[in-house]
Amino acid sequence: MIFSPRQQPPAPPPAPQAAPPRAPSPPATAEDTPDLELELKPSSDANASPVLSLVDRLLMEALSRGASDIHVEPQEEALVVRLRLDGVLEELETLPKTLTPAVTSRLKIMAELDIAERRLPQDGRIRRSWQGKVFDLRVSTLPTRYGEKVCMRLLDSGTTHLGLERLITDPAALASVRTMGSKPFGMVLVTGPTGSGKSTTLYALLSERNDPGINISTVEDPIETTLPGISQTQVNREKGYDFALALRAFMRQDPDVLLVGETRDLETAKTAIEAALTGHLVLTSLHCNDAPSAIARLDEMGVEPFMVSASLLGIVSQRLLRRVCTSCRESYRPSPEELSRFGLLASSETNVTFFKARTAPAAARGGCAVCHGSGYKGRVGVYEVLRMNEALATATAKRATTDQLRRLALESGMKSLLGYGLDLVREGHTTLDEVERMLLTDSGLESEQRARALSSLTCKGCGGGLRDEWLECPYCLTSR
């Protein structure tokens, strides 16, 4: 082609140039990784939000005092923050009512909850590190009359769990629990109210069975502590992954020992019992008042009694009592009337040293450097261990009442919760006031009196033979 002088040939396309080197992507931050813990520390930035600083300060105060729960409660005239210390709620701070929306919204943002939804309860989780330890906070919100109440359960994911010998002080109860936990198959129930230490007992049992030659799997809600050498899974109800589905999946994983965080419904209970009947050891928890009532609880769920009697190895019921402070406790002699409330006789407790807590009003606390005036420091477990035998299994299969099962268990040597608690009082670990607060009920007192009566069938005064139902000797009127 011929071009005129005014026309120039088109310029060739530019040669492709090498792309500039890509800058390295910045490292992921805590905001990019929801599960990455953030460090709690006092705010030194003058421009920091007052609400952020306030919430962080409340969390640090709860962690430093060893609280197990934090309650943020809107009231008519104020926002009240309370901590549960050694099982008892204590008021930490009273804030202006105008801070309620800001504080609850901040906590919901930290837990990755929907801050626009204030009419329905929500559940979430916060992970923070403090003083080199990682803490998980289970967050639950509840709409109330004056605003959203927020309750947080503090879980120390780095806690070193104690062995059974540190938890159970009674040698007979410790031996029974260890025997049940060492069986190759069957089901062991750990019962008690919320916050009674059931998970700690289950983890202690798992630690004793943890061995490279055994396949252990757990399903929890949520996973409270990571255990090395154990396969742990967490339920996800939004995706339909619940306890029963996880148990069915476990059965295809060649398991030896299974832990179910909580038995809440019929499907989970039946799946766990079927696993126990097919050669697996199943450890699980249940909410009920004492060991004999756990069998009735399973019956209420709809589990067939013959399945319970064939699979159940035993039941461990437990509570937590506050330890009396050894630095400021006071020894005293209880009156006969006070002892009689617990079914005790002053004549039989003459060699026992009783202690009471030196407590102070909340506004005037701070005298004792150990307990800060509360009179108590730490907690100790109370255990009621029911081991299944032929008589109990037969009665369970026949749908015996709870009272009948309790009587059979006491005859086989079970120590009641009240009896265990009174032993802790005699050993100086706790007080009669604490036993009365947590354990003293009409049925518990009757069980303890029955157990004491069954412990001796011969009168100590005259040597005459006694019957089970006699609480005193009819010949010399000596109490048993």
Side-chain angles (χ1 to χ4, degrees):
M1 180 180 295
I2 301 175
F3 294 94
S4 63
R6 295 184 179 180
Q7 292 179 335
Q8 299 294 331
Q17 297 180 357
R22 180 178 299 177
S25 55
T29 63
E31 289 76 7
D32 302 324
T33 310
D35 288 338
L36 183 65
E37 63 270 10
L38 299 177
E39 179 70 25
L40 278 177
K41 54 185 178 180
S43 176
S44 59
D45 187 359
N47 298 323
S49 169
V51 175
L52 270 63
S53 302
L54 171 63
V55 171
D56 287 347
R57 179 173 60 81
L58 294 176
L59 293 179
M60 287 188 290
E61 180 70 17
L63 292 172
S64 64
R65 298 180 61 177
S68 60
D69 299 86
I70 308 173
H71 293 251
V72 182
E73 303 168 323
Q75 302 294 333
E76 184 176 5
E77 300 295 337
L79 178 65
V80 180
V81 181
R82 296 194 293 172
L83 304 180
R84 187 174 293 278
L85 302 170
D86 293 333
V88 178
L89 282 173
E90 294 186 9
E91 186 171 320
L92 173 65
E93 196 164 342
T94 301
L95 303 172
K97 178 184 176 181
T98 54
L99 289 177
T100 299
V103 172
T104 55
S105 295
R106 171 57 182 164
L107 291 172
K108 291 172 71 174
I109 290 174
M110 294 171 69
E112 299 182 351
L113 301 179
D114 184 2
I115 62 173
E117 180 56 74
R118 300 185 178 182
R119 297 167 296 177
L120 295 175
Q122 298 185 67
D123 296 319
R125 189 193 74 168
I126 300 174
R127 169 166 286 192
R128 290 293 184 270
S129 63
W130 183 71
Q131 293 186 348
K133 301 176 68 175
V134 179
F135 293 87
D136 284 321
L137 292 86
R138 288 189 300 184
V139 181
S140 173
T141 66
L142 180 71
T144 65
R145 180 178 182 181
Y146 300 111
E148 284 185 289
K149 175 183 176 181
V150 182
C151 181
M152 293 172 282
R153 166 66 58 87
L154 277 67
L155 304 172
D156 184 359
S157 60
T159 300
T160 302
H161 288 277
L162 304 177
L164 285 175
E165 69 280 354
R166 297 283 302 276
L167 300 175
I168 306 176
T169 58
D170 183 72
L174 175 61
S176 296
V177 173
R178 277 185 164 153
T179 300
M180 293 186 298
S182 63
K183 298 296 182 182
F185 58 87
M187 184 169 67
V188 178
L189 289 174
V190 179
T191 70
T194 301
S196 60
K198 299 186 296 296
S199 296
T200 302
T201 301
L202 289 172
Y203 282 138
L205 276 170
L206 278 187
S207 297
E208 296 210 344
R209 291 301 305 269
N210 194 6
D211 185 84
I214 296 178
N215 180 19
I216 302 177
S217 300
T218 75
V219 53
E220 305 170 57
D221 183 25
I223 297 175
E224 297 185 6
T225 301
T226 302
L227 299 175
I230 294 177
S231 302
Q232 298 175 266
T233 183
Q234 181 171 317
V235 300
N236 187 348
R237 291 184 177 82
E238 295 180 357
K239 302 297 183 181
Y241 185 52
D242 55 9
F243 286 109
L245 180 60
L247 271 174
R248 289 194 293 270
F250 283 165
M251 300 305 292
R252 298 187 290 271
Q253 295 284 323
D254 186 28
D256 296 302
V257 179
L258 304 175
L259 183 145
V260 184
E262 185 179 349
T263 301
R264 300 179 179 177
D265 49 43
L266 174 60
E267 185 180 9
T268 303
K270 291 187 68 174
T271 307
I273 289 177
E274 290 171 358
L277 291 172
T278 53
H280 309 89
L281 179 64
V282 179
L283 310 175
T284 185
S285 67
L286 192 68
H287 286 275
C288 58
N289 291 328
D290 56 12
S293 62
I295 297 175
R297 181 78 178 90
L298 291 174
D299 189 29
E300 291 174 1
M301 287 184 180
V303 181
E304 294 295 338
F306 71 89
M307 296 181 65
V308 177
S309 63
S311 62
L312 192 59
L313 294 173
I315 307 167
V316 181
S317 182
Q318 65 182 82
R319 299 289 191 278
L320 290 177
L321 300 182
R322 291 182 295 172
R323 287 182 182 269
V324 63
C325 179
T326 57
S327 298
C328 63
R329 65 183 181 182
E330 299 175 349
S331 61
Y332 78 112
R333 172 56 55 184
S335 64
E337 292 77 12
E338 183 179 1
L339 292 174
S340 65
R341 295 206 311 269
F342 301 89
L344 302 177
L345 295 175
S347 58
S348 61
E349 305 293 338
T350 55
N351 297 326
V352 178
T353 301
F354 291 87
F355 294 96
K356 62 180 179 180
R358 180 184 294 177
T359 59
R365 287 185 180 177
C368 177
V370 177
C371 66
H372 303 287
S374 67
Y376 297 92
K377 183 64 176 179
R379 288 191 283 182
V380 60
V382 180
Y383 295 86
E384 181 179 79
V385 182
L386 183 152
R387 285 191 64 185
M388 294 295 288
N389 53 30
E390 186 175 352
L392 281 167
T394 302
T396 299
K398 294 181 179 180
R399 277 196 166 93
T401 65
T402 300
D403 290 337
Q404 292 171 336
L405 293 173
R406 183 178 292 109
R407 180 184 178 87
L408 289 173
L410 292 172
E411 290 177 354
S412 64
M414 181 187 76
K415 180 180 291 187
S416 66
L417 286 170
L418 180 58
Y420 197 114
L422 292 175
D423 285 346
L424 293 177
V425 172
R426 296 185 182 99
E427 296 168 4
H429 296 299
T430 189
T431 64
L432 288 175
D433 290 338
E434 185 68 6
V435 171
E436 182 176 11
R437 185 181 72 90
M438 293 295 297
L439 302 175
L440 187 58
T441 61
D442 292 339
S443 60
L445 181 58
E446 183 180 353
S447 298
E448 174 57 19
Q449 290 174 338
R450 175 61 57 190
R452 199 176 295 122
L454 291 171
S455 63
S456 60
L457 298 179
T458 303
C459 176
K460 298 179 181 178
C462 64
L466 304 175
R467 295 183 181 178
D468 290 349
E469 62 271 16
W470 292 349
L471 297 181
E472 62 181 9
C473 176
Y475 313 112
C476 65
L477 302 181
T478 300
S479 299
R480 294 175 61 181

